[in-house]
Structures are given as C-alpha cells and as structure tokens.
Amino acid sequence: SIMKYVEFLNQTIEDFRGFFRQDKQKVEFSVLKVLKNAMTITSAVYKDNQINIYLEKQENLSNINGLPSELTQVFLNILNNAKDVLKEKNSNKKQVYIKLFENKKSIVVEIYDSAGGIALNAKDKIFDPYFTTKHKSQGTGIGLYMSKDIIEKHMKGSLTATNSDFFIDNNHYFGACFKIVLPKI
C-alpha cells in the first residue's frame, strides 16, 4: 500500500511538471482500473473516517483514450472533497456511492456523497479557480477547477455537479453528485 502511494506521488510530480504541455501522449486505458487505483489510494483515510464506499459497475466496459494519471487526479480530488465534507458533517451515515457505466458514445462515472449536497450559494462557483468552501488553511480552491480543466480540455469530456438522491441497499441518501462523461474510443 505504501509503495503504491509512493508510485502515485512520483507520477503526480511528473504530471504537474507536464500539466501545460500540449504534446502529452494519450493512451488507451480502462476507466475502471484508474478508478480502482484512486479508491485504493484513498481507502485508508476513508476507513479511518468510517466512510463506506460502494462501487456499482457495468461489466465489460469499453476503454477510452486519454491520460490515465490525470484522470486519477480527478478521481482523487472528488473523493478527497467527499471525505472532507463527510468528515465535517460528522454524520454516522457517511456514504460514497460510485456508479460506472457506458452508453453508445461515452463512459460515465457518477460519484455521490451523503453529505447533504452543495450549498446554493456555492453551486455556481465550485469549478471556479481559488473558490473553496474549506477553511483557507485546508483548501486552495484549485482541485475542482483543475479537474474540470483535465476532463474538458485534455480528455474532451464533461464534468458537472448536482445535488441528488441515491440509494444503497434500499436506504435513501442525499448529497452531491459529480458526473464525469468521457468519450469512448
């Protein structure tokens, strides 16, 4: 687990070094594999904070063409934000539900949390640079901005956020839903 995290940190440094380069090599990869990698990286902190994470996935998903390490960053930003808000709410029903499926043209990843949703005064600003709902010592406001940039500019997809109901084992939850849509090959 530690070695996997060290490898991830090394890759993160390389990604930031080349973030604005235009000549990045896109490769074919599995979104499921990248998502599971991000879940592994966050698993210890989720466990420490008593956050349950569920993955519902469609079988035999198509691959996409893009930058797997950058997509890992997007997943980590969203999963870490979910952890932070669930930790802040201090609820005993801390849930993150991830739904992964495809349609004719796209791979879709929906990441829900049970933290009560995005405040109305923040909803239109969450993807703005330097906007944060966290205390200034904890947040810079660039995570979701960079995530949207990666998905939309580097991977030609879309990243949106809404408030949504969801169900796990017939139990009702309400919170934010981050939806990532990526074009299939």
Side-chain angles (χ1 to χ4, degrees), residues 73-85:
Q73 288 294 332
V74 171
F75 289 146
L76 288 173
N77 280 329
I78 295 169
L79 292 172
N80 280 321
N81 284 350
K83 181 258 308 169
D84 290 343
V85 73

Side-chain angles (χ1 to χ4, degrees), residues 11 13 111 131 135 147 169:
Q11 186 60 51
I13 292 165
I111 304 173
F131 176 79
H135 187 273
S147 295
D169 298 329

